[in-house]
Amino acid sequence: QQPQQQQLHQRQVVVQRKAEAITEKTKPARPPPSGPYLPPGALFVVVLILSETPDAPHRRAVRNSWAKQLSDYQVDRSSLVSAANADGEAFSVETLYRHFFVVGRLAGILDYVRTEMEKERDVVMVNENDYASTTAKLYSALMWAKMNLEFEYVLKTQDKVFLNVPGMIYWLAGQPRKRLYAGNKVRLARIMKKKRSPWYMADKFYAGKFY
């Protein structure tokens, strides 16, 4: 009976290892990023603002300038709503636009950033190091938005850029609602494959040599 028990145990180990291997293959490439609590409802445009984790003064400056609420802008808000609802949607002033700062995980100031997240409710922390790969950080931010938000458009920018929010909404309202990609188009730019570069692109995301 002892040899039979050993054989049975070996088969159980093999089956367990196969199950673990299958489970590992089906895991997502990255753990889902953590983010603020979001009320239900569709947004017209989501603005993802890439920010380095220690740059709280930059984020504060953005909040106090162009990222303020639309109700603080000296614009005709009813015309903004009408433009966004041209195709029969039902957006309101509150759902026209919302911004989120995207930061990475850095040990040592994690508690400070979590405090900022709880206070401001506009910080998304992704599972990427700020200085490792800007591409991976943006990818995680887009995945977070896709999994957690409903929206017509998403715009990526940085905390060192000034964005004309009403102008952006007016411009987007006149564009196609499907398959719109706007910005500076880069053709045949060589893809960075050096892992130490902030613009490193892993083959699992895009295996080509040029954009």
Side-chain angles (χ1 to χ4, degrees):
Q1 292 182 349
Q2 188 173 2
Q4 292 179 349
Q5 291 178 348
Q6 291 178 347
Q7 291 178 359
L8 178 60
H9 175 70
Q10 290 175 351
R11 286 198 293 269
Q12 290 175 340
V13 171
V14 170
V15 171
Q16 181 179 357
R17 288 177 177 174
K18 287 183 177 180
E20 290 174 351
I22 293 173
T23 302
E24 188 66 30
K25 288 181 179 180
T26 57
K27 284 183 179 179
R30 290 177 173 76
S34 59
Y37 169 77
L38 299 171
L43 298 166
F44 182 64
V45 57
V46 173
V47 178
L48 300 176
I49 309 168
L50 297 192
S51 177
E52 292 182 0
T53 310
D55 287 345
H58 290 184
R59 294 190 288 275
R60 187 162 53 249
V62 170
R63 291 188 189 102
N64 293 332
S65 57
W66 64 262
K68 57 189 176 182
Q69 297 295 320
L70 281 176
S71 57
D72 295 330
Y73 276 92
Q74 299 298 316
V75 296
D76 184 355
R77 293 184 293 276
S78 61
S79 66
L80 282 175
V81 173
S82 298
N85 293 329
D87 288 348
E89 290 83 2
F91 297 108
S92 65
V93 173
E94 289 74 23
T95 59
L96 280 180
Y97 146 79
R98 193 158 184 180
H99 72 271
F100 297 95
F101 294 97
V102 181
V103 302
R105 294 187 183 275
L106 287 180
I109 59 173
L110 185 59
D111 291 340
Y112 169 78
V113 177
R114 287 199 180 280
T115 300
E116 182 184 359
M117 291 172 66
E118 294 173 1
K119 178 183 177 182
E120 302 294 347
R121 311 297 292 268
D122 63 355
V123 179
V124 177
M125 182 177 290
V126 298
N127 293 309
E128 304 293 343
N129 187 301
D130 266 331
Y131 309 105
S133 173
T134 302
T135 304
K137 186 176 176 181
L138 175 58
Y139 174 85
S140 291
L142 292 172
M143 290 301 297
W144 176 85
K146 180 180 178 182
M147 291 186 295
N148 292 278
L149 300 171
E150 183 182 353
F151 52 86
E152 289 286 332
Y153 301 101
V154 60
L155 183 145
K156 169 263 178 185
T157 186
Q158 295 178 327
D159 60 6
K160 302 175 181 64
V161 173
F162 187 93
L163 178 64
N164 181 346
V165 176
M168 170 193 67
I169 293 173
Y170 277 127
W171 187 84
L172 285 174
Q175 304 305 313
R177 294 295 171 96
K178 294 182 178 180
R179 302 185 65 82
L180 172 68
Y181 185 89
N184 290 331
K185 184 179 292 186
V186 179
R187 293 181 180 273
L188 298 179
R190 184 173 292 277
I191 297 175
M192 181 59 66
K193 294 298 182 181
K194 295 181 179 179
K195 293 185 177 181
R196 293 185 178 182
S197 171
W199 299 278
Y200 166 68
M201 173 65 75
D203 287 342
K204 64 181 178 181
F205 296 138
Y206 189 75
K209 294 183 178 180
F210 300 93
Y211 286 113

